[in-house]
Amino acid sequence: MLSSLPIAFSAPLALIALALLPVLWLILRVTPPRPKRIDFPPLKIVRDLIPQRETPAHTPWWLLALRMAVAALAILAVAGPVWNPVRDAAALRGPLLLLVDNGFGAATDWLERQAIAESRIMAAAREGRPVAVVGLAEAPAGIALAEPQGALERLRALGLQPHAPDRSAHLQRLEAFWRAQPQAETVWVADGLGVGGGDADFLARLKQEASANRLSIHAGPPEQRALAAPENLAGALTVKVLRPTTNAAASGQVRALDLKGLPLGDAPFVFGSSDLETTARLTLPIEVRNAVSRLEIAGERSAGAVALLDDRAKRRRVGIVSGATADTAQPLLSPTYYVSRALSPFAEIREPRAGSTDPVGELLAQNLSVLILADIGALDGDTAAKVSAFVERGGVLLRFAGARLAASSDELTPVRLRRGGRTLGGGLSWEAPRKLAPFTRESPFFGSSLAEDVRVTRQILAEPEPDLARKTWAALEDGTPVVTGERRGDGVLAMVHVTADTTWSNLPLSGLFVEMLRKIVAMSGTTAAESQGGEIKVETLSPTRVLDGQGAFRSPPATAQPVARNFTGRATLAHPPGIYGPTDGAMAVNTLAPADTLAALDLAALGAPMLPIDQPVARDIRPQLLVLALLLLVADTLATLWLGGRMNLARFRRAAPAALLLAVALVALPGPDTAQAQQQPAPPAPPADQRPPVPRDLVTAASATRLAYVLTGDKTVDDMSKAGMAGLNIVLGARTALEPGEAAGVDVSRDELALYPILYWPVVAGRPIPSAETLRKVEAYMKGGGLVIFDTRDALNVRPGGGTTAEGDQLRRMLQTLDIPELEPIPRDHVLTKTFYILDGFVGRYDSGTTWVEVLPPASEDGRRPARAGDNVSPIVITSNDLASAWAVGRRGEALVPMSGSDPRQREMALRAGVNLVMYALTGNYKADQVHVPALLERLGQ
């Protein structure tokens, strides 16, 4: 090398050819001897003519210099010139081991680092040394030497990774290489950044190489900044901003973006003079904060400067299931209205599909954190097992009381409950409504402000037990629990002993209700693993979009692997930072873990030469010299032609227009891509309708209002049910505006029930109990607004104190797993007694049985009982008076069955009861609403 000049040659011996340039000069100057001149008179005239071609006697000096320059450039190119060669390389002639930090810390000057690494490989190529390239952010693999050209290709294929390099993971492979190549020179292109403090062993081993003068380091000052631990707190969205040294920039902006990449807000951050960590706070409305999916440091392109947010940082997923029927799901009247409104600012609300036969199972399949059951009574065994497993795995179950829960009991409550309830302030109560007592220190609500205006008028009481006080989270002034809870497995089981609406208390109207729900939801963590057969099956999520080293989204690479749902670590090569899982249940993996910090590596302590990153890059200038020589050679050729008279400018001027037209024509011709673009593709055919055709029988059933009866399998009973529904249809068509279609016999296990407003079900003893799936279907039908009339037809067989009949026992076994509301004998003032006819009882073939309906709320202080919430009907009516036999008529309209009572109008009253039931199912309880009575009386002129 020529150490005094910024140029070196890989083949310096080729420069000896420059000494031959004088000889070439002499050769080019040689001319033939002048010919002897003899006068020849006849040629006198020829001599006076101007020759067509003239050749100088000597080559012009400028053409000679041009040819000498071409020769000199060719000689220099053969010598392998390199501009700005690396002069600080160790004086070693062994193999070169090139270590490259290609993690997120190298993102700010990645191109410069690649250029430095390339210059090192080119220097090794000039010296004929093999090279091995190791990317420290890649997976550890065997280190193999290669020719410099192969190593250069390996370096260019080395991508910038979005995670921190795990340098110590490569230590074993490096040790094997150093043992095999003790004279190898090691060059480390370092980013100077440490994450997690796991580089001690790696640095200690490099120090040994430095002590043997076999190590040199290219590194710049570590000035990268990063984000970690985003949190959606009550008042702001916060994120930690980290820097490795105090020399890094002390201020900046954190920008929040949504899923589409649109900015939602900025927040400044400032480091103290000696601080390596600070916090940026984005004070945005809760709705805007919940829409943030990405935080980034403005102006920095690095995966470490990006923090992704998922559902865990935004809001918990809460599923709500109500025991009420569909028509009560109205604002202010729905049992879940206040719960949904209270949770919506900080939780994602999920509710089951309308008409779902398994609403709890449907929601549990959506990876809930919290499940809320509002007045859900009995749960079938399969559903109860699912809910219990959900709680055991870390879920939170919150139950609200109600009439259904008061009439049943199960194991999914934190305390044992008394059947019935406790009414305060009613006409038959000696107690006034109570207010809440202060929260104890052990309560999760401790510290919340108590609402003085909250009053409880009714509650479900807990049975006394030794640890009742420990399980009580909130109580009334007299000590009776209002909210109880306990840990069960990894989850939480909590219960509010009043309803979720304002029926039993005004707690849902207070701000305390929101705070209590917030704290209960905060007890939930991530969705736990599923347990199957004693083994833990952890849900895994596949990557959908990941970050590259510059912090931009890209498709997942082949090395990306799924992560467990409970993954909380920092990103790695196998788990790059990005979004994992489906859109509605995505999880974010970030470059840094919440507890990570940035630190600058003490590279000076290694004792190796420290070289800058931004030094001039060695460049092979052979291509430039050869191109210049070629251009000079073209110029020499043109000059020779001109001097020889072979370049006729007039001829060129004549051919110029034709050449110009040809060039224009070639440019105007469309290329293959243009021709393809000009062919407009045909519009795609509209997609075919993939929905299955609607069966004809469903279309027929939905074309008219039709009553239905259950086919029991007993021909006698089924024929009587058909005749009874036919008789009722005749009366409805004659006396009301309803024109019902022919009554349908349905198989509850197979047929669609939603087409029929009323389902008459005669109970037959000894028949098989319907399957659990069928019973859930019936339960969904009742909650969807349908009315089921269970008729045991055993009024004559019932004896006071004689126990239940076979039909009654059959009905009890059918209903024991259904979520049935609390029932009561139909009150005299029930709306069912006045929907069309004013009745004082519901008789059928028998008149001694009792008719049961859903219980109404307790009477107010003026003694009046309010209508049920919503324009709804009781989903269930139970009777034993054999209604169908009283309605049944033959082909000629004659009654088929005699009445058992002495009242001659019993059949007429039974038909009127049937009309009232149908009107009740179709019109609801509007006649119980007295709000419009004054307006109606005024219109009638009374």
Side-chain angles (χ1 to χ4, degrees):
M1 293 186 182
L2 303 175
S3 58
S4 61
L5 297 175
I7 190 171
F9 297 92
S10 59
L13 294 179
L15 298 178
I16 298 176
L18 293 176
L20 300 178
L21 289 180
V23 178
L24 182 62
W25 175 280
L26 294 176
I27 293 175
L28 294 176
R29 283 183 57 85
V30 170
T31 57
R34 182 184 298 273
K36 186 177 180 179
R37 185 180 184 88
I38 300 175
D39 292 334
F40 186 54
L43 299 179
K44 174 79 171 163
I45 300 174
V46 177
R47 185 185 62 181
D48 294 335
L49 298 178
I50 298 176
Q52 295 295 324
R53 187 179 303 165
E54 296 181 353
T55 303
H58 297 283
T59 304
W61 69 268
W62 53 268
L63 183 59
L64 189 61
L66 184 65
R67 293 173 178 175
M68 296 295 293
V70 171
L73 289 175
I75 293 172
L76 291 175
V78 171
V82 177
W83 191 258
N84 285 327
V86 179
R87 305 189 181 283
D88 297 302
L92 297 174
R93 291 297 177 262
L96 173 64
L97 175 61
L98 187 60
L99 306 179
V100 181
D101 279 343
N102 60 327
F104 76 91
T108 55
D109 50 4
W110 176 240
L111 295 180
E112 290 81 358
R113 294 173 182 276
Q114 280 187 311
I116 285 293
E118 285 186 12
S119 66
R120 282 293 193 172
I121 295 177
M122 297 298 296
R126 292 189 296 271
E127 298 169 358
R129 302 163 60 192
V131 181
V133 178
V134 177
L136 295 178
E138 307 292 333
I143 303 175
L145 291 171
E147 293 297 324
Q149 186 61 36
L152 193 60
E153 294 177 359
R154 158 75 174 144
L155 175 66
R156 290 170 179 169
L158 205 63
L160 183 65
Q161 298 294 344
H163 55 270
D166 188 0
R167 304 182 181 97
S168 296
H170 294 267
L171 196 53
Q172 183 178 359
R173 309 279 182 172
L174 292 173
E175 288 283 6
F177 178 83
W178 283 322
R179 285 195 300 268
Q181 304 291 338
Q183 296 302 316
E185 176 191 1
T186 302
V187 176
W188 181 18
V189 183
D191 59 19
L193 196 64
V195 178
D199 299 318
D201 294 340
F202 178 80
L203 295 176
R205 184 61 183 87
L206 284 188
K207 189 172 184 179
Q208 299 178 17
E209 293 296 309
S211 62
N213 296 323
R214 294 194 296 266
L215 175 68
S216 57
I217 302 175
H218 288 272
E223 297 179 351
Q224 305 88 339
R225 295 177 297 182
L227 299 179
E231 288 187 276
N232 196 349
L233 301 179
L237 182 62
T238 65
V239 63
K240 290 196 305 184
V241 187
L242 310 173
R243 63 176 179 173
T245 66
T246 55
N247 295 326
S251 62
Q253 294 276 338
V254 171
R255 181 167 299 150
L257 300 98
D258 63 5
L259 285 171
K260 298 180 180 179
L262 300 177
L264 299 178
D266 292 339
F269 63 86
V270 178
F271 288 95
S273 58
S274 60
D275 292 339
L276 301 181
E277 177 181 323
T278 188
T279 300
R281 294 179 58 88
L282 288 99
T283 306
L284 301 170
I286 182 65
E287 295 82 7
V288 178
R289 296 204 310 270
N290 287 339
V292 174
S293 64
R294 174 185 172 114
L295 299 173
E296 63 182 21
I297 300 177
E300 294 203 13
R301 299 186 59 189
S302 167
V306 175
L308 302 175
L309 291 84
D310 56 16
D311 291 344
R312 296 175 298 178
K314 296 177 183 178
R315 54 176 72 89
R316 299 291 196 272
R317 183 170 296 173
V318 179
I320 303 177
V321 181
S322 170
T325 53
D327 291 342
T328 58
Q330 306 174 37
L332 302 180
L333 300 178
S334 168
T336 62
Y337 172 75
Y338 298 98
V339 177
S340 300
R341 290 293 299 271
L343 291 174
S344 57
F346 56 88
E348 180 183 350
I349 308 300
R350 293 295 179 92
E351 295 187 88
R353 293 177 294 106
S356 174
T357 59
D358 186 15
V360 174
E362 176 186 327
L363 291 180
L364 290 180
Q366 300 181 29
N367 300 317
L368 299 180
S369 296
V370 180
L371 175 63
I372 296 179
L373 302 181
D375 192 17
I376 296 292
L379 297 174
D380 62 86
D382 185 30
T383 302
K386 291 180 182 178
V387 175
S388 179
F390 164 76
V391 176
E392 292 287 341
R393 297 193 306 267
V396 173
L397 173 62
L398 175 61
R399 303 191 69 172
F400 283 90
R404 288 175 173 81
L405 188 58
S408 62
S409 61
D410 53 45
E411 296 299 323
L412 293 174
T413 55
V415 294
R416 291 184 297 111
L417 304 177
R418 290 186 183 181
R419 297 293 296 270
R422 177 195 188 191
T423 303
L424 305 175
L428 300 179
S429 173
W430 294 97
E431 300 178 88
R434 299 285 185 176
K435 64 180 182 179
L436 297 177
F439 301 119
T440 62
R441 186 173 295 275
E442 293 76 16
S443 170
F445 310 136
F446 181 75
S448 300
S449 300
L450 212 61
E452 295 295 332
D453 57 343
V454 172
R455 295 293 184 273
V456 175
T457 59
R458 187 178 179 185
Q459 68 179 130
I460 293 182
L461 295 177
E463 291 283 359
E465 55 183 79
D467 56 349
L468 180 60
R470 179 181 60 83
K471 297 179 180 179
T472 300
W473 292 356
L476 297 179
E477 289 178 314
D478 58 1
T480 55
V482 174
V483 183
T484 56
E486 67 170 347
R487 286 278 177 183
R488 185 168 295 184
D490 294 332
V492 175
L493 193 59
M495 179 176 174
V496 181
H497 291 244
V498 296
T499 56
D501 56 14
T502 58
T503 305
W504 290 10
S505 77
N506 62 352
L507 176 63
L509 300 176
S510 67
L512 177 62
F513 186 69
V514 178
E515 186 65 22
M516 293 170 71
L517 289 181
R518 184 191 296 272
K519 292 191 174 183
I520 292 176
V521 170
M523 296 179 184
S524 65
T526 57
T527 304
E530 295 184 2
S531 177
Q532 293 185 352
E535 297 182 357
I536 300 299
K537 181 182 178 183
V538 179
E539 181 188 6
T540 57
L541 302 175
S542 298
T544 55
R545 292 193 304 165
V546 300
L547 297 178
D548 61 13
Q550 301 287 348
F553 278 113
R554 64 167 180 170
S555 300
T559 56
Q561 300 177 7
V563 298
R565 169 66 75 172
N566 54 2
F567 181 82
T568 57
R570 73 170 71 98
T572 62
L573 181 66
H575 307 308
I579 304 299
Y580 290 70
T583 304
D584 59 348
M587 187 184 76
V589 174
N590 282 309
T591 301
L592 298 180
D596 281 342
T597 57
L598 296 184
L601 298 178
D602 189 5
L603 300 180
L606 300 181
M610 298 295 298
L611 307 176
I613 290 293
D614 56 353
Q615 73 174 23
V617 179
R619 187 179 300 277
D620 187 355
I621 60 174
R622 280 181 296 182
Q624 291 85 345
L625 294 181
L626 291 175
V627 170
L628 182 57
L630 181 62
L631 293 176
L632 294 180
L633 189 60
V634 171
D636 174 76
T637 303
L638 295 176
T640 303
L641 292 175
W642 178 67
L643 291 175
R646 286 187 170 85
M647 294 185 65
N648 193 331
L649 298 180
R651 186 182 307 166
F652 176 77
R653 284 196 296 269
R654 289 195 300 269
L660 182 61
L661 289 176
L662 180 61
V664 172
L666 291 176
V667 171
L669 285 177
D673 294 340
T674 310
Q676 259 188 348
Q678 291 175 353
Q679 297 177 359
Q680 295 295 334
D689 192 351
Q690 301 295 327
R691 294 174 296 180
V694 180
R696 184 178 299 274
D697 57 341
L698 292 184
V699 175
T700 303
S703 60
T705 303
R706 306 174 67 192
L707 309 182
Y709 60 93
V710 174
L711 297 174
T712 63
D714 188 317
K715 188 176 185 308
T716 302
V717 175
D718 294 344
D719 290 345
M720 186 59 67
S721 297
K722 181 178 181 180
M725 303 306 286
L728 183 58
N729 278 349
I730 294 174
V731 174
L732 289 170
R735 305 183 184 183
T736 70
L738 177 64
E739 296 180 359
E742 182 182 358
V746 297
D747 183 346
V748 291
S749 62
R750 295 183 303 175
D751 295 335
E752 177 58 56
L753 304 181
L755 302 173
Y756 311 104
I758 290 182
L759 185 64
Y760 177 75
W761 193 325
V763 180
V764 179
R767 302 299 299 174
I769 300 296
S771 65
E773 182 179 357
T774 301
L775 292 176
R776 283 199 296 267
K777 181 179 178 182
V778 174
E779 180 181 310
Y781 168 76
M782 290 190 291
K783 290 186 177 181
L787 170 62
V788 181
I789 303 173
F790 290 100
D791 194 343
T792 58
R793 305 172 296 110
D794 58 354
L796 287 182
N797 300 329
V798 176
R799 299 288 184 270
T804 60
T805 61
E807 290 79 5
D809 185 63
Q810 178 86 355
L811 179 61
R812 181 186 59 80
R813 290 188 291 121
M814 286 174 53
L815 302 183
Q816 64 181 356
T817 60
L818 293 181
D819 186 18
I820 300 298
E822 184 180 1
L823 303 178
E824 66 177 350
I826 185 168
R828 296 181 61 87
D829 59 348
H830 196 282
V831 69
L832 190 53
T833 64
K834 49 192 173 185
T835 53
F836 196 86
Y837 292 103
I838 298 178
L839 303 174
D840 57 2
F842 285 78
V843 298
R845 182 184 181 186
Y846 313 119
D847 60 357
S848 58
T850 303
T851 301
W852 296 79
V853 294
E854 182 176 358
V855 66
L856 291 178
S860 59
E861 294 183 359
D862 59 3
R864 297 177 57 185
R865 303 181 72 178
R868 293 186 62 232
D871 290 338
N872 197 343
V873 299
S874 171
I876 182 173
V877 174
I878 299 177
T879 184
S880 58
N881 283 333
D882 195 0
L883 299 178
S885 296
W887 302 336
V889 295
R891 293 182 178 179
R892 295 185 297 273
E894 74 281 8
L896 296 182
V897 180
M899 299 295 101
S900 64
S902 58
D903 186 356
R905 297 183 40 142
Q906 183 173 338
R907 189 183 304 277
E908 171 63 22
M909 300 308 293
L911 290 171
R912 292 185 178 187
V915 172
N916 273 25
L917 284 169
V918 174
M919 294 297 105
Y920 179 55
L922 296 179
T923 63
N925 60 7
Y926 76 98
K927 286 196 174 182
D929 191 353
Q930 303 297 313
V931 173
H932 304 293
V933 168
L936 292 174
L937 293 177
E938 181 180 355
R939 178 175 296 181
L940 293 174
Q942 299 179 4

